[in-house]
Amino acid sequence: MNSRQPIPVVVLTGFLGSGKTTVLNHLLANRGGTRIGVVVNDFGSIEIDAMSVAGQVGDSMVSLGGGCLCCAVDGSELDAYLEKLAAPVHRIDVIVIEASGLAEPQEMVKMLLANENPAIRYGGMVQVVDAAEFDATRARHPETDRHLAVADLVVLNKTDRVDAAERARIEAALGTLCGPGIPVVGADHGRIDPELLFDRRPWTETRGQLSFEDLLAEAAHQADETDPADAAGHDHERCGHVHAAYESIEFVSEQALHPRRFLDFLDRRPAGLYRIKGFVHFGVPGHEERYEVHAVGRFLRFAPGPWGRGEARLTQLVLIGSGTDGPALLRELEACREPAPRQVPPESMWGVLRYVDRPADTPAED
């Protein structure tokens, strides 16, 4: 990640037993070369299964060769740990906060949105739901509905423990509880594609010490040697090609995109379109920068930045989803092209600028 770009902070939420840690472990084990900072916000002493290589996390900070830094904190310490993780020396690409099962995620989101550290930015909220305990969880924790209403992406975990009819019923219920267009990703054992949340980097060998992925792979190999039944399912289940369930669509345009038409496209994107990432060229007078776009579910952010020396002014987007109509999405993006961007009034960019993070002392345009 470009060190000048703020680090996205993703909030991973869900009630006790929903599978948040399992999702987190899967992301860590399948992150490629991405350097992930992890903040665990919980009560008391914490033990994270996949971090057993580092022993009991407790309230300490653990540094691993692959660049994962893990902290167990309470809310009052969050800003300090985020500042520490965002330090350039760690070269972190993304930070994941695993919220307590009893936390109020809205408060954590508010803290991140109000954070004035220019090195980080809010990257969306992911709510993990236990399919097998869906009704019981809502009965015990009525606030579940409120949490779902503000989620940017919902992971319906433990789908292997319910039949097709029950899963369809739960997904229909989630459709009414979540905000309009919020995507619901089904998963078992927390296996979701990390690409839905962050880019995976090409892996580079660490210097003389095992990376976090190396340690996880070694632990899995030892488990396979001691449990033949586990070994039989290891390749296909635990490390199966999760991304095979998703389609990836690429869009490149040498013409600029009209900001209002592009925002209209984003506003009406289908629920199955989980993630959009890339760079957009608008070319509107006063806004000739390259705009990085990042969307997870309904969460959307633009980040303007300079073009590289000699870099072609292109729009380059990757869309990741499931059950979407790829050709239709490409046709909609084609309709966003603007052959004469210099004639587009600057006020057409106001909608885009509402999704740009600003320093606290910079007023937003109306």
Side-chain angles (χ1 to χ4, degrees):
M1 174 176 290
N2 188 325
S3 61
R4 292 175 296 180
Q5 293 293 330
I7 301 169
V9 181
V10 177
V11 179
L12 183 64
T13 69
F15 283 101
L16 298 169
S18 62
K20 297 187 305 297
T21 300
T22 305
V23 171
L24 176 59
N25 291 343
H26 175 78
L27 294 175
L28 291 170
N30 295 275
R31 62 188 173 84
T34 301
R35 301 175 72 89
I36 305 175
V38 178
V39 177
V40 179
N41 170 234
D42 215 324
F43 296 97
S45 182
I46 303 168
E47 184 174 356
I48 303 176
D49 294 341
M51 298 176 187
S52 59
V53 292
Q56 186 78 8
V57 176
D59 293 324
S60 63
M61 177 179 240
V62 179
S63 177
L64 298 173
C68 292
L69 299 174
C70 309
C71 322
V73 303
D74 61 36
S76 64
E77 298 173 303
L78 183 59
D79 285 350
Y81 274 102
L82 289 175
E83 182 177 1
K84 189 175 295 186
L85 287 171
V89 66
H90 300 311
R91 295 181 291 127
I92 293 296
D93 295 308
V94 62
I95 297 171
V96 178
I97 298 177
E98 183 187 348
S100 160
L102 300 176
E104 280 293 340
Q106 297 99 317
E107 295 305 314
M108 194 165 290
V109 170
K110 288 178 183 177
M111 290 174 63
L112 291 172
L113 291 174
N115 193 296
E116 298 182 4
N117 185 347
I120 64 170
R121 63 174 172 82
Y122 175 56
M125 173 182 146
V126 180
Q127 177 85 8
V128 182
V129 174
D130 184 341
E133 299 291 332
F134 178 67
D135 294 327
T137 299
R138 291 183 69 199
R140 288 195 304 268
H141 304 286
E143 59 270 34
T144 298
D145 294 1
R146 188 174 69 252
H147 296 178
L148 288 168
V150 298
D152 299 296
L153 179 70
V154 174
V155 176
L156 182 58
N157 196 30
K158 306 184 185 180
T159 54
D160 55 313
R161 295 179 56 191
V162 297
D163 59 27
E166 177 67 357
R167 176 173 175 176
R169 181 188 71 83
I170 295 170
E171 289 177 340
L174 290 171
T176 65
L177 295 170
C178 299
I182 294 296
V184 177
V185 181
D188 62 87
H189 299 88
R191 293 189 292 261
I192 65 170
D193 193 338
E195 290 284 349
L196 297 179
L197 300 180
F198 55 79
D199 294 333
R200 284 184 286 187
R201 312 290 179 186
W203 181 249
T204 55
E205 186 177 358
T206 54
R207 297 182 182 177
Q209 61 178 333
L210 289 175
S211 71
F212 191 68
E213 283 179 308
D214 294 333
L215 292 166
L216 288 174
E218 182 178 286
H221 177 70
Q222 292 173 353
D224 289 347
E225 288 184 337
T226 58
D227 188 345
D230 190 45
H234 173 72
D235 289 338
H236 299 289
E237 292 186 9
R238 199 179 306 162
C239 297
H241 296 291
V242 181
H243 63 271
Y246 308 103
E247 300 97 34
S248 179
I249 304 163
E250 296 183 1
F251 174 77
V252 179
S253 175
E254 295 182 358
Q255 280 188 336
L257 299 191
H258 193 288
R260 286 178 178 164
R261 292 201 292 270
F262 184 57
L263 278 180
D264 286 343
F265 165 79
L266 294 175
D267 285 341
R268 63 176 182 266
R269 63 193 187 271
L273 185 54
Y274 303 136
R275 188 180 182 208
I276 301 173
K277 59 181 179 177
F279 301 95
V280 184
H281 172 45
F282 294 115
V284 175
H287 303 280
E288 292 89 353
E289 308 100 318
R290 182 183 72 171
Y291 280 79
E292 181 181 358
V293 60
H294 173 72
V296 176
R298 293 287 99 185
F299 174 78
L300 175 65
R301 278 292 179 272
F302 287 96
W307 295 94
R309 180 176 297 178
E311 183 179 0
R313 270 53 173 172
L314 296 173
T315 290
Q316 297 176 292
L317 298 172
V318 176
L319 294 79
I320 302 173
S322 177
T324 55
D325 185 341
L329 290 173
L330 290 176
R331 286 193 297 271
E332 290 188 52
L333 285 169
E334 293 283 351
C336 296
R337 293 178 188 265
E338 174 51 57
R342 301 293 301 172
Q343 299 177 21
V344 176
E347 58 265 27
S348 66
M349 287 291 295
W350 289 353
V352 171
L353 297 179
R354 290 192 180 97
Y355 295 98
V356 172
D357 290 326
R358 287 182 178 79
D361 58 351
T362 302
E365 298 184 57
D366 292 324

